[in-house]
Amino acid sequence: QVQLTESGGGSVQPGGSLRLSCAASIDNPSRLCMGWFRQGKEKEREPVAFIFSDDGTTYYDDSVKGRFTISQDGAKNTAYLQMNTLKPEDSAVYYCAAQRYCSTYHLVTWTAYASRGQGTQVTVSA
């Protein structure tokens, strides 16, 4: 099972930026997809953004398109989520997830991932 190490997050004012990172302990990151889900207070966990290691294909929830960017490092075992123009409704615990051989099902289903992070808090408030 791939171990995930999350970092980043914190508190920021509306309009500000934060970056999350998620490092996967894996020697061969081929066929790996990584991404984030988030869960706001009294809300269900929802998908945010994902990247496929082999070709860098990315997917975003409509709520973050144009504001968030997911990327990966050269080794393809660390994913980054650059969050710009943050809004109060982006406040949530953000959870990293990683899986080999993802399907579209993994883009929407948290429990489908074999490797899941503990989460990091993002708070956007004035």
Side-chain angles (χ1 to χ4, degrees), residues 7-12 18-20 83 86 91-92 120-124:
S7 61
S11 297
V12 67
L18 288 172
R19 189 174 84 153
L20 306 181
M83 304 182 291
L86 282 161
S91 296
T120 185
Q121 179 70 46
V122 171
T123 302
V124 185

Side-chain angles (χ1 to χ4, degrees), residues 12-124:
V12 67
Q13 293 185 340
S17 299
L18 288 172
R19 189 174 84 153
L20 306 181
S21 65
C22 178
S25 61
I26 185 169
D27 292 331
N28 181 6
S30 64
R31 306 291 186 180
L32 190 67
C33 70
M34 297 180 71
W36 276 269
F37 290 78
R38 67 184 180 185
Q39 187 166 14
K41 191 174 182 181
E42 299 180 354
K43 295 183 180 179
E44 294 187 356
R45 197 164 301 189
E46 61 182 10
V48 177
F50 303 90
I51 187 166
F52 285 73
S53 64
D54 286 358
D55 61 5
T57 301
T58 57
Y59 294 90
Y60 297 93
D61 183 78
D62 286 345
S63 64
V64 306
K65 281 181 181 177
R67 301 187 297 121
F68 290 13
T69 303
I70 190 169
S71 61
Q72 58 185 354
D73 69 347
K76 299 182 178 180
N77 59 4
T78 299
Y80 303 97
L81 185 67
Q82 179 65 42
M83 304 182 291
N84 297 329
T85 319
L86 282 161
K87 305 175 181 179
E89 51 264 43
D90 293 318
S91 296
V93 178
Y94 284 68
Y95 298 89
C96 179
Q99 176 73 36
R100 271 192 166 158
Y101 305 106
C102 286
S103 67
T104 54
Y105 180 69
H106 290 87
L107 300 181
V108 295
T109 310
W110 164 253
T111 54
Y113 285 83
S115 298
R116 294 175 273 178
Q118 295 299 307
T120 185
Q121 179 70 46
V122 171
T123 302
V124 185

